Amino acid sequence: MFSGSAFPTSLPTCTSLIGTAIISESDSLSLVLLLPPFPLPTLLSLPILPKCLFNPNMRIPKKPVSFCFSLFSPDVFPPAFSSRIRLVSRAFTSSDSFHGKRRGICFGGIKLLHSGYPMEESHGTIVSDMKSPRLRNTDCSSGGQEPCIWSSPEGGRKLDVIGKQIFCNRSLNMKNIVAVGFDMDYTLAQYKPETFESLAYEGTIKKLVYDLGYPRELLNWSFDWKYMVRGLVLDKKRGNILKMDRHKYVKVAYHGFKELSKEDKVSIYGSTLTRDAFDEPDYALIDTLFSLAEAYLFAQLVDFRDNNPGKVPDTTDYARMYRDVRAAVDLCHRDGTLKQMVAKDPKRYINEDTSIVPMLKMLRDSGRATFLVTNSLWDYTNIVMNFLCGARTMDGIRKCNFDWLQYFDVVITGSAKPGFFHDDSRANLFEVEPVSGMLLNTDNGSPMPQVGDTSPSFSVKGPNKSCRVFQGGNVGHLHKLLTIESSSQVLYVGDHIYGDILRSKKVLGWRTMLVVPELEQEVELLWKLRDTRKELRLLRNHRDLIEDKIHHLKWSLKFDDINEEEKRKLTSELDVLESEREQVRLSHQQAQRENHHKFHTVWGQLMKTGYQNSRFAHQVERFACLYTSQVSNLSLYSPDKYYRPSEDFMPHEFDIFM
C-alpha cells in the first residue's frame, strides 16, 4: 500500500494512543488505527499494528477491505502519500457505519482518513495502487459492486471502474446539448452473441441450402461466436480476411481459416504500385456486431470450396459466395425469421440493463429532449423497448404496452439509416398509431386529415401522448419535430461506425457517442497487462540500441585506416552484437505474440495491431466524439458534464512528457 519513499521514517507527535477498533460490515472489513506518538520502527514492533500495512509489496485480498488511518496532525503524511488518500470530515453516527455506507469518521473535530476499494474475484490479487483506475467507487447503495446512477443520492462520486468510463476524443460540453438520441439494436438493446448471432448464423445456413442451392452438408456446420471481431475487412475476390492498422497496412491475414505468411501478405497487399483503399465493392467492412456471423460463414465457405473440388461450381467464386451469404442474411431479415424468435423470448437474446430507464429519466429531468431513431419497424421496436423499459407483473412476466414511450419525445422507426441522415432525402414521414401499427400521412410531421375527414383525428391515448411515433422520413423532419436550431446541439448514440456515427458526424455535424461492448473487457485486460506492455517497450528499445551499435560498427569497418588487429576486434564485437540482436528479436516477437493472444487468440487487441492503432480504432477516433462500452454508462456522469479529451502527443513529445 505504501511505496518505499511514500512513508516518512518517523511520524509527527500525536497526543495519545486512543486504541484500535475493527468494525465488520458484511463481507467488508474496516480497520480504524489511531496512532500513538512513536517513531515508525517502534510502531512496527507494536502487536496491535499489522505490519502488512507498511509493506511496499502488500497484496490486496479479493474481498473488499477498507483501511481508515486516524492521526491528530493534518501534516502527518507528505504530499506523495497524502495524495493517495481521500480526506473526509464528517460526523460519525451509528447509522453511517452499519448500513452499507462507509464514510470518513470524525471524533471531536479530529479528521480521520478513509479509503476503500473492493477487488473483483475474477482479477485475483494485485499490488495496491491508490491511483489505479481499476479501483471501484464503493459508496454505492448496491453494496459497492456497481457504480451508482448519477441522479441517485449515492451517485455523483468519482467513477473508478475503467471498463464503464466514457472516453473522449473531442471536447463535448453537455450543457450545449438540447437533445440526446439513441439507436436501438446493439445500442439500447445489447444482444447476446452466443444466442442471437448463433440464431442468425443458423437462419443464414438454411437460406443458403434451401433457397440458394448450396450442399446440405452446410446444415451440419457450427458457429464459433468468439472467433470473429469487429474491424476486420473481407477480401471478396481472394477469400481473405484481414486486420490492418490505421495506415491500411495488413498486419494479420487469413485465407478462410489458414493464416497467411508474412511473405504472402507482402506479395498480395504490399507489392503494388498504387495503394489499395480496401473499400467496396471489392472489400466488405465488418464494422458492426451484426456482421460477425456472416464473416464466419464466409470463412467456412472459402475453406469448403478449397477443400472440396466439384461440390461448389467453378462459376461460384469467392465474391459470388459472399454475395450469396449477404442475400441469405437479407432473406432472414425480410421474412422475420430472426425477429420472431427474439419476440417470443427476448430475455434469451437480449441483455437486461436496469440502468437504461434511470438514465433516460435523468436526461429528461435535466431538460433534454430524448429521441429514438432505429431501422427496425414499429412492431419489433415496441417488443424490444418493452423488454428493456417495461414493468413486470406480479408473476414476473413483462407486460407489453406503451409505457416506455414516456421516456422519449420522438420515436422514428424504419428510418433506413444511413440515408436518413441526408436532409435532401425525399423519404415520406408517416405517423404510427401504436395500438394498431397503422401508418397515417403527415405533412412534414404535422397530422393530416384522412380522406373524407375535415380534420386530423389521430391522438395517442394515455400518459404517452407527449411522445409521437413515426416511420421513415429524414433528419430534417426530426429537427423540425424537436425544434433543433443547430445540429451541434444533438448528441446521437449508436453502435455502427458507418450507419450511425460517420454520416451523422460528417454530413450533419451532430455530436456522437459510439457504443463498443467489447471495450469493457479490453480495458480491464489492458490494465492487468500494463506491466507486460512496459516490458515490451523496454525490449523494443533494447533492440534499437543493439541495432544502432551494429550499424556503427559496420560503418567503422568501411574505413581503410584501421589496422588488422582493430578490424578483427570490431568484427568479433559485431558477431556478438548480431547474436544478441537475434536473441532479443526472438524474445520480443514471442512476448508480442503472447500478449496478442491474451486479447484474442486470432486477431489480438481490438484497438491495436502491434504498436499501431487498428483501422477500427482510427475510425473511432475520427468519427466518435465519445465512446464507451454500453449506453447506460451515461447514467454514471452528470448530464451537464464537460467531457475533455486527453492531450495529444506527437512522437517527438512522447518520451519527454510520458
Side-chain angles (χ1 to χ4, degrees):
M1 183 164 184
F2 306 107
S3 64
S5 61
F7 201 90
T9 55
S10 62
L11 295 175
T13 302
C14 301
T15 304
S16 62
L17 174 63
I18 302 299
T20 64
I22 297 177
I23 304 173
S24 177
E25 297 176 352
S26 64
D27 290 335
S28 303
L29 183 69
S30 290
L31 180 62
V32 180
L33 303 180
L34 305 180
L35 304 182
F38 301 138
L40 181 60
T42 306
L43 289 176
L44 295 179
S45 67
L46 292 176
I48 61 172
L49 293 174
K51 295 182 181 181
C52 67
L53 295 180
F54 302 93
N55 184 352
N57 296 318
M58 170 193 172
R59 302 179 73 81
I60 302 173
K62 297 179 182 178
K63 287 189 176 183
V65 177
S66 295
F67 298 102
C68 291
F69 296 91
S70 172
L71 298 104
F72 295 157
S73 170
D75 301 317
V76 168
F77 297 114
F81 177 71
S82 59
S83 64
R84 297 188 176 201
I85 299 184
R86 177 164 52 90
L87 184 63
V88 182
S89 176
R90 187 177 181 89
F92 174 76
T93 64
S94 59
S95 61
D96 283 332
S97 60
F98 298 106
H99 289 82
K101 300 179 181 179
R102 297 187 292 277
R103 299 190 175 98
I105 304 174
C106 181
F107 287 100
I110 301 171
K111 294 180 180 178
L112 307 189
L113 303 174
H114 178 273
S115 180
Y117 41 91
M119 299 302 301
E120 287 184 335
E121 185 173 348
S122 60
H123 296 281
T125 308
I126 67 169
V127 177
S128 168
D129 183 355
M130 298 299 291
K131 291 182 180 179
S132 160
R134 268 284 306 123
L135 305 182
R136 289 180 180 264
N137 180 355
T138 59
D139 293 353
C140 295
S141 57
S142 60
Q145 296 306 310
E146 290 296 334
C148 301
I149 302 298
W150 174 272
S151 57
S152 68
E154 297 83 8
R157 294 171 173 84
K158 177 177 172 57
L159 177 64
D160 289 328
V161 189
I162 191 172
K164 295 186 180 297
Q165 289 180 2
I166 295 176
F167 302 97
C168 179
N169 288 319
R170 275 174 294 284
S171 296
L172 194 160
N173 189 348
M174 286 294 292
K175 287 185 177 180
N176 298 330
I177 300 299
V178 300
V180 182
F182 302 91
D183 177 40
M184 184 180 75
D185 298 309
Y186 276 113
T187 300
L188 289 173
Q190 283 297 327
Y191 293 92
K192 300 176 181 179
E194 64 272 27
T195 54
F196 183 78
E197 294 301 332
S198 296
L199 180 66
Y201 173 86
E202 293 165 5
T204 304
I205 286 278
K206 291 177 181 177
K207 298 297 183 186
L208 285 172
V209 173
Y210 297 125
D211 294 351
L212 299 176
Y214 276 73
R216 296 181 65 88
E217 294 173 50
L218 273 63
L219 297 173
N220 299 322
W221 288 1
S222 59
F223 173 53
D224 181 359
W225 59 272
K226 295 181 179 180
Y227 186 88
M228 292 295 177
V229 298
R230 276 202 289 184
L232 303 178
V233 177
L234 304 189
D235 184 342
K236 301 177 190 177
K237 293 193 302 183
R238 301 181 181 93
N240 296 338
I241 305 168
L242 318 173
K243 184 181 180 185
M244 56 190 68
D245 66 16
R246 65 189 180 98
H247 303 293
K248 297 186 180 179
Y249 286 105
V250 176
K251 294 299 183 72
V252 184
Y254 280 76
H255 179 76
F257 294 104
K258 179 184 178 182
E259 185 174 9
L260 297 181
S261 66
K262 182 178 180 180
E263 293 73 24
D264 288 338
K265 287 185 292 186
V266 171
S267 65
I268 297 172
Y269 300 107
S271 300
T272 57
L273 293 175
T274 57
R275 289 292 310 279
D276 201 325
F278 297 100
D279 289 327
E280 295 284 358
D282 295 330
Y283 298 89
L285 308 179
I286 307 303
D287 54 10
T288 173
L289 295 172
F290 273 123
S291 304
L292 301 185
E294 64 189 63
Y296 188 82
L297 181 51
F298 176 69
Q300 286 181 301
L301 287 171
V302 168
D303 274 4
F304 183 76
R305 184 181 185 276
D306 292 346
N307 299 326
N308 298 276
K311 289 191 175 182
V312 177
D314 294 336
T315 55
T316 305
D317 58 8
Y318 301 129
R320 173 61 185 272
M321 289 193 302
Y322 178 78
R323 289 197 299 271
D324 288 343
V325 170
R326 282 297 317 144
V329 171
D330 289 341
L331 284 172
C332 288
H333 284 285
R334 283 205 302 270
D335 68 8
T337 300
L338 298 178
K339 293 181 177 179
Q340 286 176 5
M341 294 297 293
V342 174
K344 289 180 181 178
D345 188 6
K347 189 173 183 178
R348 175 175 170 79
Y349 301 102
I350 304 175
N351 289 315
E352 292 187 82
D353 188 346
T354 57
S355 298
I356 287 179
V357 168
M359 174 198 68
L360 294 171
K361 286 181 177 178
M362 181 187 74
L363 290 172
R364 291 176 65 79
D365 290 344
S366 69
R368 273 86 179 175
T370 54
F371 64 92
L372 179 68
V373 177
T374 174
N375 285 354
S376 294
L377 297 178
W378 165 248
D379 54 349
Y380 183 71
T381 300
N382 188 42
I383 290 171
V384 172
M385 294 306 298
N386 258 281
F387 173 75
L388 294 173
C389 303
R392 292 183 182 273
T393 57
M394 294 300 291
D395 58 2
I397 301 174
R398 289 185 182 271
K399 301 176 292 183
C400 194
N401 52 39
F402 312 113
D403 290 347
W404 63 271
L405 290 174
Q406 66 185 293
Y407 306 122
F408 297 94
D409 294 274
V410 174
V411 171
I412 296 182
T413 62
S415 61
K417 294 177 297 182
F420 176 85
F421 295 119
H422 288 277
D423 199 2
D424 57 356
S425 170
R426 301 183 63 85
N428 291 323
L429 182 68
F430 299 95
E431 190 147 15
V432 178
E433 205 288 313
V435 176
S436 65
M438 182 174 65
L439 301 183
L440 303 173
N441 291 322
T442 71
D443 180 10
N444 291 328
S446 300
M448 291 179 62
Q450 306 302 303
V451 175
D453 293 338
T454 58
S455 62
S457 59
F458 173 73
S459 64
V460 181
K461 298 179 180 179
N464 309 314
K465 59 184 178 181
S466 61
C467 177
R468 299 177 65 191
V469 182
F470 298 92
Q471 178 173 312
N474 61 41
V475 70
H477 298 132
L478 179 64
H479 284 167
K480 182 179 178 181
L481 290 165
L482 295 172
T483 62
I484 299 296
E485 297 177 356
S486 170
S487 59
S488 63
Q489 295 176 320
V490 179
L491 172 65
Y492 187 66
V493 187
D495 72 290
H496 195 306
I497 284 283
Y498 287 93
D500 293 322
I501 304 302
L502 186 149
R503 295 289 181 89
S504 60
K505 182 68 178 175
K506 289 185 68 174
V507 176
L508 300 174
W510 279 6
R511 310 311 302 273
T512 55
M513 186 169 94
L514 183 71
V515 175
V516 187
E518 310 97 310
L519 189 65
E520 183 166 0
Q521 181 179 355
E522 177 139 322
V523 295
E524 293 280 354
L525 191 53
L526 275 173
W527 174 253
K528 185 178 180 181
L529 299 175
R530 64 196 183 281
D531 291 334
T532 301
R533 299 297 291 262
K534 294 176 184 176
E535 293 167 4
L536 284 172
R537 282 202 301 272
L538 291 175
L539 280 171
R540 197 183 193 207
N541 292 339
H542 190 38
R543 285 181 68 179
D544 285 342
L545 181 62
I546 294 173
E547 287 172 356
D548 286 344
K549 290 180 179 179
I550 290 173
H551 296 155
H552 187 269
L553 285 176
K554 286 184 175 180
W555 187 258
S556 299
L557 288 169
K558 292 178 181 291
F559 293 97
D560 297 331
D561 58 348
I562 61 173
N563 57 43
E564 289 299 322
E565 180 64 26
E566 185 69 18
K567 185 176 292 187
R568 281 196 298 271
K569 182 179 179 181
L570 291 177
T571 302
S572 175
E573 187 177 347
L574 181 62
D575 291 339
V576 171
L577 284 173
E578 287 181 335
S579 175
E580 184 181 355
R581 176 180 64 178
E582 183 62 17
Q583 292 176 1
V584 174
R585 183 186 69 83
L586 293 174
S587 298
H588 185 212
Q589 287 184 346
Q590 180 63 25
Q592 273 188 307
R593 190 176 298 109
E594 291 175 357
N595 187 69
H596 174 93
H597 289 162
K598 287 177 181 177
F599 288 91
H600 192 283
T601 55
V602 178
W603 306 108
Q605 191 176 337
L606 178 69
M607 298 288 189
K608 279 282 191 296
T609 52
Y611 287 92
Q612 294 285 301
N613 284 348
S614 65
R615 187 183 187 186
F616 180 74
H618 184 53
Q619 292 165 342
V620 172
E621 185 178 30
R622 286 180 66 193
F623 303 119
C625 300
L626 309 174
Y627 63 100
T628 190
S629 60
Q630 55 189 23
V631 66
S632 56
N633 292 344
L634 273 172
S635 66
L636 307 177
Y637 293 81
S638 165
D640 292 326
K641 181 173 178 59
Y642 198 136
Y643 293 95
R644 296 180 175 90
S646 57
E647 183 180 354
D648 290 338
F649 288 101
M650 292 288 288
H652 70 276
E653 299 175 303
F654 187 83
D655 289 334
I656 298 174
F657 297 115
M658 295 299 288

